[in-house]
Amino acid sequence: EQKVGTYEIIIASIPDREKCVAEIWFDGSMLAEVNHETDEFIVEFFCDMKSKYRLDDVIESLSIARSKL
């Protein structure tokens, strides 16, 4: 678990994936999941389309998530 401001990055083993994923949480809600099931890193966002996030914090969180996988 690592924090970037109000973002939290958690490495998780979930039943529907072969490899661990990195979950990115913002204010208690999951914002995104980063996985490396294939040769590429894939990010899936789970967010309200009307929400606003600081770009630098999101980029830093995604970068940390990628480095931990």
Side-chain angles (χ1 to χ4, degrees):
E1 178 179 322
Q2 186 168 352
K3 290 198 174 210
V4 176
T6 56
Y7 295 82
E8 186 175 10
I9 298 104
I10 299 172
I11 302 304
S13 176
I14 57 176
D16 62 334
R17 304 274 188 194
E18 287 187 31
K19 297 180 180 179
C20 287
V21 300
E23 298 175 343
I24 300 173
W25 292 76
F26 177 78
D27 284 343
S29 296
M30 186 160 45
L31 172 64
E33 174 188 285
V34 178
N35 75 67
H36 195 230
E37 292 287 310
T38 64
D39 292 339
E40 298 179 307
F41 285 93
I42 303 295
V43 62
E44 185 174 354
F45 288 96
F46 307 101
C47 59
D48 177 1
M49 296 305 288
K50 295 179 182 180
S51 296
K52 295 180 181 178
Y53 305 96
R54 289 191 59 230
L55 180 60
D56 290 342
D57 290 343
V58 173
I59 291 171
E60 184 177 357
S61 296
L62 289 170
S63 178
I64 290 169
R66 180 181 179 171
S67 72
K68 293 190 171 291
L69 293 179

